[in-house]
Amino acid sequence: MPIFFTLKEMEDHFIPEAKLMLITLLICLLLLGFYITKRASRSRGVYLLDFACYKPPDAQKATNQLWVKKVEHMGIYSEDTMTFIRKGFRKSGLGDSTYFAEVYHKQVFDPCLKEARREMEMTVFGSIDMLLAKTGVQCEDIGILVVNCSLYNTMPSLSSMIVNKYKLKENILSYNLAGMGCTSGLIAIGLAQNLLQVHHDSYALVMSTEGITENSYLGDNRSMMITNGLFRVGGAAILLSNRPSDHHNCKYKLLHTVHTNASSSNPSYNCIFQEEDEAGIRGVTITKDLFRVASTVIRSNVTTLGKLILPLSEKLRYLTNSIARKLRPTANIQPYIPNYSKSVKHFLPHVGGKPMLDELQKNLGFDETAMEPSRMTLYRFGNTGSSSIWYELAYAEAKGRVKKGNRVWQIAFGSGFKCTSVVWRAMRTVDYDEMNPWTNEIDGFPVNVDCDDGPSAIFFEPSQ
């Protein structure tokens, strides 16, 4: 074998090998780049470590009868209007242990800014204190803060109030959502989810609440009295994480978020509207378009979600039914309603009111057991706005019904008109929790909610 190569022999021997090595290197680099790009574009897992619902002191409880007497004592309503109010409470689905703001229990009713701020401080700080105690997470580790409250809006904002109270770090991503209705709590979850996709190893604190102190309607327009009868004090703090290590100690993993916004439609935009009445008194008007609008928007949201969560058998039945109805329009074929209970174990709709819960149950095919958390939340805590869905989840947990692998569907809707669905998967079976708002009384539920039904059972008859 020769020790030296001629130039021609070197070309014949080394250049093909060098080309092969270069091609191999390029292929490896391309594969590595594809892997890195794929990994970077992949959705990061978002986990719910825990949540906490505020439970006001017993001194703030008030029966429906006590509230009616308070209204009578004000002396601002005619006897016809008082009869209308009493009838409304009988139809509300609320029990006699809901919580009013402190200002309602005072001899002189003065819903001033100071009282409104006190309500917010009690609700917000009470929820967050409990959440931090449950999770053990340090304030300096929280990188994202999202607060939502529709009607109460002040300066500095609620998010600034939280940053100041808990001395959160200066570079925290802080957002304050206002005016978005009772669906804003799940919109806040969606916003936190998106932020957690781009900020690594972060905790996101979501605070959902509503202020009622300044937002009572003291006029005589019946379509603006609904908020007085349904809304009560409440709030919930939720801690989300995208840290891979939290996969093993979280309660739930976020699977899907679906947002539907129909504000471009005038009937949808105007069906829940904050404005002044003829006497200049501010309140929230609810029109008769609400049920029609809500039905359309919720149906759109549920249809989109169904494409993500329904089993193939239900999708095929729905598709077959739709085709048959189009091919034979005169055959009076009834629309097929997919069985969503095959996809989710726990259905938790916002407690907008008893009629809304009745419609959702009828249209989605859930049984009474599935509707129990929402009905009992309405009865025990009233409509606490965007936080009500968390009292419902707390109810299911307190009953020991949340098992590992269960899917939980929260759906909320509100002004605009907007609807949001969020689906979680339980990462473990939820054990006893002494900080659950239902813990000391869960054995007394469910109860029979005895209230009038009828064509006007939307609590108060809305205006045209």
Side-chain angles (χ1 to χ4, degrees):
M1 185 175 184
I3 299 177
F4 300 102
F5 291 96
T6 64
L7 182 60
K8 181 69 171 64
E9 289 174 331
M10 290 178 65
E11 290 179 353
D12 293 341
H13 183 75
F14 289 108
I15 291 180
E17 287 192 7
K19 288 181 178 178
L20 181 61
M21 291 177 62
L22 181 60
I23 293 172
T24 303
L25 180 61
L26 289 174
I27 292 174
C28 290
L29 289 173
L30 287 172
L31 291 174
L32 180 62
F34 177 78
Y35 172 77
I36 293 173
T37 303
K38 188 73 175 178
R39 185 174 180 83
S41 63
R42 187 174 60 187
S43 177
R44 295 179 181 278
V46 174
Y47 306 102
L48 191 159
L49 290 186
D50 215 329
F51 65 96
C53 298
Y54 177 65
K55 190 173 185 178
D58 288 345
Q60 288 183 227
K61 283 184 181 179
T63 64
N64 291 331
Q65 185 178 6
L66 176 63
W67 174 240
V68 170
K69 287 184 178 180
K70 286 274 186 182
V71 175
E72 289 175 343
H73 183 69
M74 292 179 187
I76 60 177
Y77 296 123
S78 66
E79 184 54 37
D80 283 346
T81 300
M82 286 306 307
T83 300
F84 176 75
I85 291 173
R86 296 187 195 100
K87 179 182 177 182
F89 273 109
R90 290 197 302 270
K91 295 179 176 182
S92 68
L94 275 69
D96 285 328
S97 297
T98 58
Y99 300 95
F100 287 92
E102 282 186 322
V103 67
Y104 294 108
H105 294 272
K106 296 183 177 181
Q107 289 294 329
V108 179
F109 178 66
D110 181 21
C112 60
L113 181 61
K114 181 180 178 181
E115 292 287 354
R117 186 179 294 276
R118 174 166 171 77
E119 178 197 347
M120 286 293 97
E121 290 176 345
M122 292 177 65
T123 304
V124 171
F125 297 159
S127 302
I128 296 176
D129 286 348
M130 193 183 309
L131 179 65
L132 294 176
K134 292 175 74 173
T135 61
V137 171
Q138 301 301 308
C139 292
E140 57 266 25
D141 293 329
I142 298 173
I144 299 168
L145 172 65
V146 183
V147 184
N148 67 273
C149 183
S150 290
L151 291 176
Y152 177 81
N153 194 15
T154 186
M155 186 175 64
S157 65
L158 287 175
S159 59
S160 295
M161 183 176 79
I162 294 171
V163 171
N164 178 262
K165 165 71 173 178
Y166 295 97
K167 308 305 176 188
L168 302 181
K169 55 189 180 183
E170 291 185 355
N171 64 344
I172 189 169
L173 300 172
S174 176
Y175 300 87
N176 203 88
L177 308 181
M180 301 191 75
C182 295
T183 190
S184 59
L186 293 184
I187 292 175
I189 294 294
L191 174 58
Q193 177 193 24
N194 290 337
L195 292 169
L196 286 169
Q197 296 305 309
V198 294
H199 296 280
H200 306 173
D201 296 321
S202 297
Y203 288 118
L205 172 61
V206 176
M207 181 67 220
S208 295
T209 189
E210 188 54 81
I212 64 174
T213 294
E214 284 187 306
N215 295 295
S216 295
Y217 173 66
L218 302 178
D220 211 26
N221 186 325
R222 295 185 178 185
S223 66
M224 303 175 83
M225 293 181 179
I226 297 177
T227 54
N228 292 354
L230 286 177
F231 281 87
R232 298 293 186 268
V233 172
I238 305 98
L239 190 65
L240 304 177
S241 170
N242 62 5
R243 299 186 176 191
S245 58
D246 287 325
H247 177 274
H248 302 289
N249 62 347
C250 66
K251 276 188 174 181
Y252 305 94
K253 181 177 181 180
L254 182 56
L255 299 181
H256 306 288
T257 54
V258 175
H259 303 289
T260 305
N261 191 329
S263 298
S264 59
S265 160
N266 285 337
S268 176
Y269 177 72
N270 291 309
C271 68
I272 303 177
F273 207 91
Q274 186 178 30
E275 59 186 350
E276 294 173 338
D277 65 9
E278 297 80 2
I281 302 173
R282 188 177 63 180
V284 177
T285 298
I286 296 183
T287 73
K288 284 188 175 180
D289 286 330
L290 173 62
F291 260 61
R292 179 177 58 82
V293 165
S295 177
T296 301
V297 178
I298 292 172
R299 185 185 301 116
S300 175
N301 183 272
V302 169
T303 300
T304 302
L305 181 67
K307 297 174 183 177
L308 299 173
I309 68 171
L310 283 173
L312 181 59
S313 59
E314 289 299 301
K315 292 179 180 178
L316 289 175
R317 289 190 181 96
Y318 179 80
L319 179 61
T320 302
N321 175 267
S322 298
I323 294 173
R325 292 175 64 214
K326 288 181 179 180
L327 293 177
R328 301 179 62 190
T330 60
N332 196 27
I333 300 173
Q334 294 301 310
Y336 178 73
I337 300 175
N339 187 352
Y340 284 85
S341 63
K342 291 185 178 181
S343 303
V344 294
K345 180 66 176 178
H346 305 283
F347 175 58
L348 307 175
H350 165 60
V351 293
K354 182 181 180 297
M356 189 68 75
L357 294 178
D358 292 342
E359 284 295 308
L360 285 171
Q361 180 178 9
K362 182 178 77 172
N363 291 328
L364 297 178
F366 285 99
D367 60 23
E368 280 300 326
T369 301
M371 298 299 298
E372 185 182 310
S374 51
R375 294 193 188 281
M376 293 305 100
T377 294
L378 179 63
Y379 178 84
R380 176 62 182 85
F381 291 97
N383 184 341
T384 61
S386 59
S387 66
S388 69
I389 51 176
W390 297 103
Y391 288 87
E392 296 174 44
L393 183 54
Y395 181 93
E397 290 185 353
K399 280 290 186 181
R401 296 175 182 173
V402 179
K403 309 297 182 182
K404 182 178 180 180
N406 285 174
R407 286 206 282 186
V408 179
W409 176 13
Q410 294 174 311
I411 181 171
F413 28 84
S415 60
F417 194 83
K418 298 182 289 294
C419 181
T420 302
S421 286
V422 171
V423 179
W424 310 86
R425 183 174 69 243
M427 301 300 288
R428 57 183 170 87
T429 296
V430 178
D431 300 321
Y432 172 83
D433 181 0
E434 63 180 10
M435 295 186 186
N436 188 307
W438 298 88
T439 294
N440 296 325
E441 52 189 281
I442 192 63
D443 291 340
F445 291 90
V447 299
N448 180 38
V449 181
D450 184 20
C451 60
D452 285 339
D453 287 313
S456 63
I458 188 175
F459 186 72
F460 293 120
E461 185 69 24
S463 70
Q464 298 286 349

